[in-house]
Amino acid sequence: MAQDTSSKKQDKNKKSFFDKVKTWYKGITSELKKVTWPEKNKFKKNLAAVLVIIVVAVITILVFDSLVSMVLNVTGFYDVKQAPSAKPAITAPVEPEVTTIETSENEG
């Protein structure tokens, strides 16, 4: 009898997947209600600043990459024409050679 009541208590403590998702979603929405959101004008200014920083970073990386690539090509450390291929191409399947043993009739 004691085992039956303990198993029922364990079933009550276990939540289904959907109950867990529902609890998680309620927690997220309650936390988002506590957030102090910026005003529309301040949000636009911050968004513009972030986008400008991203564009500047992309341009900087592009210029640096181009300069390094150019220096390596000019000095000969890196040449696209001489770069080895990663995998050799197989043009035809290789068939194994069959060797035959010649026997003479005089052996005995």
Side-chain angles (χ1 to χ4, degrees):
M1 278 268 241
Q3 292 176 351
D4 293 337
T5 57
S6 65
S7 64
K8 289 180 183 178
K9 287 180 182 178
Q10 288 177 355
D11 291 339
K12 288 181 182 178
N13 291 338
K14 289 184 179 180
K15 291 183 178 180
S16 70
F17 173 75
F18 295 109
D19 288 337
K20 290 179 183 178
V21 170
K22 186 177 179 183
T23 304
W24 174 79
Y25 183 74
K26 284 183 179 180
I28 293 293
T29 54
S30 68
E31 288 297 321
L32 285 176
K33 288 178 184 176
K34 296 176 188 177
V35 173
T36 305
W37 296 100
E39 296 175 4
K40 202 171 197 176
N41 291 335
K42 189 172 183 179
F43 176 76
K44 287 180 181 180
K45 288 179 183 178
N46 289 342
L47 178 65
V50 168
L51 292 177
V52 166
I53 290 170
I54 290 172
V55 168
V56 168
V58 167
I59 290 172
T60 303
I61 292 171
L62 232 151
V63 168
F64 182 74
D65 182 51
S66 298
L67 288 174
V68 169
S69 178
M70 183 183 70
V71 167
L72 291 177
N73 282 331
V74 167
T75 57
F77 284 113
Y78 177 75
D79 192 9
V80 177
K81 296 177 185 175
Q82 294 178 358
S85 63
K87 201 174 193 181
I90 298 175
T91 55
V94 178
E95 296 181 15
E97 292 183 20
V98 178
T99 57
T100 58
I101 301 174
E102 296 180 20
T103 59
S104 63
E105 294 178 14
N106 294 337
E107 287 183 24

